[in-house]
Amino acid sequence: MQRCLQLAALGVSAAPNPKVGAVLVYNDIIIGEGYHEQYGKAHAEVNCINSVPVTDKKYIPGSTLYVSLEPCAHFGKTPPCTDLIIENKIPVVVIGCKDNFNKVNGQGIEKLKNAGVRVVENILSRQAVELNKFFFTFNSKKRPYIILKWAQSKNGKIAGKDFLPLKISNEFTDVLVHKWRSEAGSILVGRRTALYDDPALTTRLWKGKSPVRLIIDKNLSLPGNLKLFNQENNTIVFNYKKTWQQVKYNIKC
């Protein structure tokens, strides 16, 4: 299961789907493994089974499938993974944690059991849930998972005199922040941060997509030459003035 979680963590392009890893084991030897690589594409179980060499295909019906999240039992952008498991006559499935999406949420486990598959649940479940905290929070609380980020000096300051930027963090925390950005759907700043720091809010120090940039500017008072209004990524401005879209700069109000 630890290997499943390692593989799942590679699936940064799976969002808004969860990150999932799968490993197929025969006689304590891994014969196949895979993860959900991209949203709308094959799930971890499919990639895992497809990765088994032709010479080892005969061992699949005697193998144990480890998967970090409950296999899906519904048709979405791809067919149910439970059907594939059953078709391949895999006798044992070990699951990290249950999927709390309402179209799964135990139905995958039930379908496997009804087909005679032995299901072992909650193996490294805490780690499995933590890996997909964005996904689990959205499904259970119907809101985004929120990270509050700031750098603060020992005396409680986050900026210099007259709002001048003050470098408190370091190159290591900068990389961490960009990693967080690559995993997030959006990033929000207020008017003063946008004005005084002039941040780009793009992912540059870590491989991955940049989040949608959100700004709170009630009166649309920010100048148009800020980095947030460049063409590097989409920007949405929350305001009291108007609703409009400026396609040239990918700005939405």
Side-chain angles (χ1 to χ4, degrees):
M1 187 57 67
Q2 184 62 54
R3 178 57 180 162
C4 288
L5 295 173
Q6 291 174 344
L7 290 166
L10 300 175
V12 293
S13 298
N17 282 354
K19 301 174 185 176
V20 184
V23 173
L24 196 62
V25 177
Y26 178 78
N27 281 352
D28 295 329
I29 297 175
I30 294 177
I31 62 172
E33 60 181 29
Y35 65 95
H36 187 17
E37 299 178 14
Q38 186 174 352
Y39 175 68
K41 302 297 183 181
H43 287 188
E45 299 91 328
V46 177
N47 289 329
C48 175
I49 292 172
N50 288 344
S51 75
V52 178
V54 175
T55 54
D56 291 338
K57 296 287 187 185
K58 59 182 179 290
Y59 300 127
I60 294 178
S63 299
T64 296
L65 177 67
Y66 294 80
V67 59
S68 58
L69 188 69
E70 174 186 4
C72 62
H74 68 287
F75 281 90
K77 291 186 177 296
T78 60
C81 291
T82 48
D83 290 357
L84 182 66
I85 294 169
I86 294 167
E87 289 168 7
N88 280 271
K89 298 181 171 57
I90 297 174
V92 182
V93 176
V94 180
I95 296 171
C97 64
K98 185 184 291 186
D99 185 338
N100 70 343
F101 179 50
N102 59 8
K103 290 186 177 180
V104 186
N105 200 20
Q107 296 177 56
I109 294 172
E110 182 180 5
K111 188 172 184 178
L112 290 173
K113 287 181 176 179
N114 289 340
V117 177
R118 180 187 168 214
V119 179
V120 180
E121 302 178 50
N122 299 321
I123 304 301
L124 299 184
S125 59
R126 181 182 61 80
Q127 295 93 320
V129 171
E130 173 66 19
L131 182 68
N132 281 305
K133 55 192 176 185
F134 294 177
F135 178 80
F136 279 97
T137 298
F138 180 78
N139 285 315
S140 62
K141 299 183 179 181
K142 306 306 177 187
R143 66 164 177 79
Y145 182 89
I146 300 169
I147 298 173
L148 299 177
K149 187 278 297 181
W150 70 93
Q152 178 177 305
S153 63
K154 188 175 181 180
N155 63 344
K157 304 297 183 181
I158 63 173
K161 188 177 181 180
D162 297 325
F163 302 102
L164 291 175
L166 179 63
K167 187 64 176 178
I168 300 172
S169 55
N170 56 49
E171 59 188 36
F172 300 105
T173 54
D174 288 345
V175 171
L176 174 62
V177 167
H178 281 240
K179 179 179 182 295
W180 288 347
R181 287 183 187 177
S182 72
E183 298 170 350
S186 62
I187 181 169
L188 172 70
V189 295
R191 182 184 64 83
R192 287 189 173 185
T193 297
L195 181 62
Y196 293 114
D197 289 356
D198 192 18
L201 300 185
T202 54
T203 303
R204 304 179 301 281
L205 304 179
W206 192 269
K207 183 180 179 180
K209 64 178 180 63
S210 295
V212 174
R213 301 177 292 194
L214 310 178
I215 312 171
I216 299 175
D217 181 18
K218 294 187 293 184
N219 297 310
L220 293 178
S221 61
L222 289 172
N225 61 349
L226 295 178
K227 294 175 184 174
L228 288 171
F229 299 134
N230 61 28
Q231 299 183 55
E232 291 185 37
N233 199 27
N234 288 341
T235 297
I236 297 174
V237 182
F238 295 99
N239 70 93
Y240 289 153
K241 294 287 186 179
K242 55 186 174 181
T243 299
W244 60 283
Q245 180 176 2
Q246 189 173 337
V247 179
K248 181 179 178 182
Y249 296 108
N250 294 322
I251 301 167
K252 296 179 181 179
C253 292

